[in-house]
Amino acid sequence: MMNILVVRLSAIGDCTLVLPVIRAILEQKPEVTLTWLIGNDAYQLLKDSTHPRLRFIAVDKPKSIKDYRAIKSKLSETFDVLLAMQASTRANLIYPMVKARRKIGFDNTRARELHWLFTNETIDFKNEHLHDSFCQFAQKLGVKTTDLDWSIVLSESHQAFKLPQRYIAINPAASKLERSWPAQRYAELIEYSVKQLNLSIVLTGGPANFEQELAREIARRCSTEVINLVGKTSLQQLAAILGNALLCIAPDTGPAHIANAMGTPVIGLYAVAPSRLSGPYLSRELTIDKFEFAVQALMKKDPKQVPWRTRVHDRRAMELITVSEVIAKIKQVFANLQSF
């Protein structure tokens, strides 16, 4: 048997991009047993997406020497391969604790916080989506990464909430304010969807104060009814709600990737970061991406010449996305839904 350790603690959306890769390894390599060191939040979403040869080790984000010692005690066995799928200070400090002959990490361009010091093999640098970089780790093991199974298995459902049959899910907030679309734009979009398409709107999101306040502001600006579930769901309930939606609209945030994994079309709203690196993978044709325009208009730089890590840290970037552009994408989605 080959014993593999995958380290990807966070973020929740990123872990949904790892899951199909792990499935591919297990399906194509029957000699492999795989352990996934994962953050507790992501585990709460993926805990039922199990396999007989997959073991989760769920941990809180390590913050102290005591936390790292606790993690080390859980990784006492020897592994054949470490897939170091996270390049961050917290994750990098875990890798020296792992006993493994092969330690595969990111290339030097993406190997942040001295990540390269703790690995002895690397994937190749490509200007590619994060999911494709995860696929490269599997390809190092001789695993094919086409026709992947993205599904998230859920034991919790949306039944705790009385929802209409036909609705659009809008997840308005990203983890950073600068990546979130303005409340007034969302309100205008909601008015159109309710009045012109006769669809209900469900707002989703996490419990952070910023997310809840943005949802309340959107609801205040709407003359039509909005079902506000921001901060009221577990992660699996959120996934179920997104999975039952006709469509999800979201900025650069984890729920966009959850909806993607649940098979729901996603209109991604991107301007701070390029969607080619982190957009909803299966809905790239629906994504509205103003990153290059923002680099040129707000940073006064040539988007073809800026470094790979460039981000537009300016709240005006998301304002470059217009309501009419999102409406055009909604029409595109429903033109392809025969049942609509």
Side-chain angles (χ1 to χ4, degrees):
M1 295 294 288
M2 176 185 291
N3 197 7
I4 296 175
L5 173 67
V6 169
V7 175
R8 184 73 203 193
L9 302 174
S10 60
I12 293 167
D14 295 345
C15 288
T16 70
L17 301 176
V18 172
L19 180 62
V21 178
I22 284 179
R23 281 206 182 101
I25 293 171
L26 292 169
E27 289 170 3
Q28 296 178 40
K29 297 286 185 179
E31 74 278 14
V32 162
T33 60
L34 194 148
T35 300
W36 185 353
L37 185 68
I38 188 172
N40 262 317
D41 287 344
Y43 174 70
Q44 293 307 313
L45 174 65
L46 303 180
K47 61 186 178 182
D48 296 303
S49 300
T50 57
H51 185 280
R53 289 180 280 113
L54 171 62
R55 173 177 61 129
F56 287 105
I57 298 178
V59 297
D60 289 320
K61 188 179 292 185
K63 299 178 181 178
S64 66
I65 293 175
K66 181 180 177 181
D67 294 337
Y68 281 100
R69 285 175 177 165
I71 291 174
K72 184 177 181 180
S73 69
K74 296 176 181 179
L75 300 175
S76 58
E77 63 194 285
T78 298
F79 296 91
D80 295 291
V81 183
L82 163 66
L83 301 182
M85 288 186 172
Q86 189 155 349
S88 67
T89 299
R90 285 191 174 94
N92 290 342
L93 291 174
I94 293 171
Y95 302 139
M97 306 175 187
V98 178
K99 291 176 285 186
R101 178 174 56 86
R102 299 177 68 187
K103 294 187 176 183
I104 304 173
F106 284 96
D107 52 274
N108 288 343
T109 300
R110 293 176 285 193
R112 297 185 302 160
E113 313 296 342
L114 302 178
H115 176 78
W116 56 272
L117 282 175
F118 310 109
T119 60
N120 54 29
E121 292 183 49
T122 66
I123 62 172
D124 297 328
F125 173 72
K126 297 177 183 178
N127 193 9
E128 63 187 356
H129 195 282
L130 181 58
H131 170 71
D132 291 321
S133 71
F134 295 148
C135 287
Q136 279 206 62
F137 284 89
Q139 291 160 11
K140 281 278 190 178
L141 305 175
V143 173
K144 296 179 181 178
T145 54
T146 54
D147 300 320
L148 299 179
D149 178 3
W150 288 79
S151 61
I152 300 173
V153 180
L154 305 175
S155 58
E156 301 173 44
S157 74
H158 65 291
Q159 299 300 330
F161 308 97
K162 191 173 182 180
L163 300 179
Q165 284 191 328
R166 298 164 70 253
Y167 62 87
I168 292 176
I170 296 179
N171 197 100
S175 58
K176 296 181 180 179
L177 181 62
E178 66 187 20
R179 296 187 180 192
S180 301
W181 209 34
Q184 182 57 36
R185 303 273 176 96
Y186 280 121
E188 292 173 22
L189 189 66
I190 290 169
E191 296 285 306
Y192 168 82
S193 300
V194 173
K195 294 177 180 178
Q196 301 299 319
L197 300 178
N198 194 30
L199 291 170
S200 298
I201 301 297
V202 176
L203 299 182
T204 62
N209 290 336
F210 155 64
E211 295 193 52
Q212 297 193 59
E213 177 52 39
L214 179 58
R216 287 191 292 266
E217 183 180 354
I218 292 168
R220 284 195 298 267
R221 291 172 179 266
C222 291
S223 64
T224 55
E225 183 182 359
V226 174
I227 300 170
N228 183 5
L229 297 183
V230 175
K232 299 176 182 177
T233 65
S234 69
L235 282 169
Q236 286 208 354
Q237 288 170 333
L238 170 63
I241 290 166
L242 295 173
N244 280 277
L246 293 172
L247 167 67
C248 173
I249 301 171
D252 186 0
T253 182
H257 299 296
I258 295 173
N260 172 84
M262 295 299 294
T264 298
V266 184
I267 297 176
L269 310 178
Y270 282 70
V272 172
S275 64
R276 69 177 183 275
L277 302 182
S278 60
Y281 193 81
L282 301 178
S283 292
R284 283 170 286 183
E285 77 286 355
L286 297 175
T287 299
I288 299 170
D289 188 329
K290 292 300 179 79
F291 172 74
E292 291 193 355
F293 186 20
V295 169
Q296 189 171 33
L298 301 176
M299 298 180 69
K300 309 301 182 185
K301 294 182 178 180
D302 182 351
K304 304 298 184 185
Q305 299 297 322
V306 295
W308 177 80
R309 295 188 188 281
T310 298
R311 299 294 182 265
V312 185
H313 298 297
D314 190 321
R315 287 196 64 189
R316 294 174 296 171
M318 290 297 288
E319 294 176 4
L320 298 172
I321 300 172
T322 67
V323 174
S324 60
E325 287 174 308
V326 183
I327 288 174
K329 292 295 185 180
I330 292 175
K331 292 178 178 178
Q332 180 180 335
V333 171
F334 291 137
N336 295 328
L337 290 178
Q338 295 179 355
S339 60
F340 181 75

